[in-house]
Amino acid sequence: MERFAFVIHPLSVRDVARKFPFTRYLPPHLVEGAIRFLPPNKTAHITGIRSPYGEAEGWFLSCPLTARQMLHLPTAYVLRKIIETGKLAERLGARILGLGAFTKVVGDAGVTVARHLNIPVTTGNSFTVATAIEGTREAARLMGHDLAAASVAVVGATGSIGRVCALILARDVRNLTLVGRDRKRLEAVAEEIICETGLVARVSTDVPSAVREADVVITVTSAVDAVIEPEHLKPGAVVCDVARPRDVSRRVARERDDVLVIEGGVVKVPGEVDFHFNFGFPPGTAYACMAETMILALEKRYESFTLGRQLTVRQVEEIAALAKKHGFALAGFRSFERALTAEEIAAIREKAAQHSTGDTKGRTSRTST
């Protein structure tokens, strides 16, 4: 039996209230101040993972810091808490550790954590990219977009995930915009894309403007708050939100019935898996970053497969092949923690067509006047 562990943490004080209900009545700063003193803990035992080539079990381990604390507390302190969580994984017998959510963003993206542990560490970003690209392609097809002809934007294109998403998409699209905060870094990615594919990608530091022009968006920033609002999206747009916390505002779910927002990296895990923990997914499904750790355990690849901020297309292709070998597969589509049916996607496409027709008629009327 192969063994792994995966680090989770509360994204906000609302998540803390799921375990400690009384905290919902306390000011957020008091809750964050209190959980700093909690030790890492074993949240759940994961059982039933089974592929044609082996079996695995693992543990969800909680590092008790919110996303905001991960970003704003001293880096050395946060890394120490993550390393303590890794030491717990070692004591449980895990042979590889996966970093979830903001634990893979802090500092040098897992390098220091791996240096202080006796087991390898992976961020899961390789398989996250693989599933995000696969999901985006399929969602675009269902919404009637020809990806080669569509206007495509990658928000957070200078990050490790965004950069490789852009490099892979550049093989298939002719209209690509790289979006981020740092123009120089965006231009460096654009230069890399020219060298690799010959495509000339545009760059933009204006998220609303770039997204308004896009038919297809992959967004994967490290922002704590939403960066894409309802007014930023055109009718019929497809948005793959890979970020956690999410980049797309919940207002989009309430106010825009003509755009398709999917969560990146949701996969079906082989076997009769029981996570013994409810993170909002249908039974037997997980984030791709979690799945990467499971895949490496099943393959007995006890190595730091994805670490640091440099991610390659080769890594993405290799982990995708291993996932297929062991029976991991894209698990349909989810939007704002809810599974989407084929009928719902068809309804979104129909609404988009109606709104687009209305916009065209409005423009024609104004022109005639």
Side-chain angles (χ1 to χ4, degrees), residues 33-251:
I35 64 173
R36 286 181 59 177
F37 296 98
L38 294 176
N41 65 85
K42 181 175 69 174
T43 301
H45 183 204
I46 305 165
T47 59
I49 302 171
R50 187 174 296 107
S51 91
Y53 303 93
E55 299 179 26
E57 66 173 348
W59 296 269
F60 284 133
L61 306 180
S62 179
C63 181
L65 293 174
T66 66
R68 197 173 296 277
Q69 287 176 301
M70 292 263 179
L71 291 180
H72 294 106
L73 288 173
T75 300
Y77 174 84
V78 176
L79 288 174
R80 188 163 62 249
K81 296 286 282 189
I82 298 170
I83 291 165
E84 288 174 7
T85 311
K87 294 293 185 183
L88 174 58
E90 292 178 347
R91 293 194 295 274
L92 289 168
R95 299 183 63 189
I96 188 169
L97 180 72
L99 300 180
F102 275 70
T103 66
K104 60 185 176 183
V105 174
V106 176
D108 49 16
V111 175
T112 296
V113 175
R115 192 182 304 128
H116 285 80
L117 296 178
N118 296 313
I119 56 176
V121 174
T122 191
T123 64
N125 285 348
S126 295
F127 197 45
T128 295
V129 170
T131 55
I133 295 292
E134 182 182 359
T136 299
R137 284 173 172 153
E138 177 62 11
R141 184 189 70 80
L142 291 173
M143 286 294 289
H145 295 300
D146 175 2
L147 204 58
S151 174
V152 179
V154 177
V155 182
T158 58
S160 59
I161 293 178
R163 170 186 155 275
V164 174
C165 283
L167 280 166
I168 295 173
L169 285 170
R171 300 168 170 177
D172 302 327
V173 307
R174 296 192 294 268
N175 186 347
L176 178 65
T177 301
L178 310 177
V179 190
R181 292 175 296 182
D182 189 322
R183 179 170 289 275
K184 279 193 172 181
R185 293 178 63 196
L186 287 169
E187 289 171 349
V189 176
E191 184 66 29
E192 189 176 4
I193 288 172
I194 292 174
C195 294
E196 294 286 335
T197 69
L199 178 71
V200 178
R202 288 186 292 276
V203 302
S204 174
T205 57
D206 186 341
V207 173
S209 178
V211 169
R212 281 191 193 100
E213 299 300 318
D215 302 303
V216 177
V217 179
I218 290 182
T219 183
V220 55
T221 75
S222 296
V224 173
D225 300 312
V227 298
I228 296 177
E229 300 290 346
E231 59 272 19
H232 298 160
L233 297 166
K234 67 194 296 188
V238 171
V239 185
C240 180
D241 191 349
V242 187
R244 289 297 176 273
R246 68 179 67 257
D247 280 341
V248 180
S249 168
R250 282 193 172 274
R251 288 179 52 222

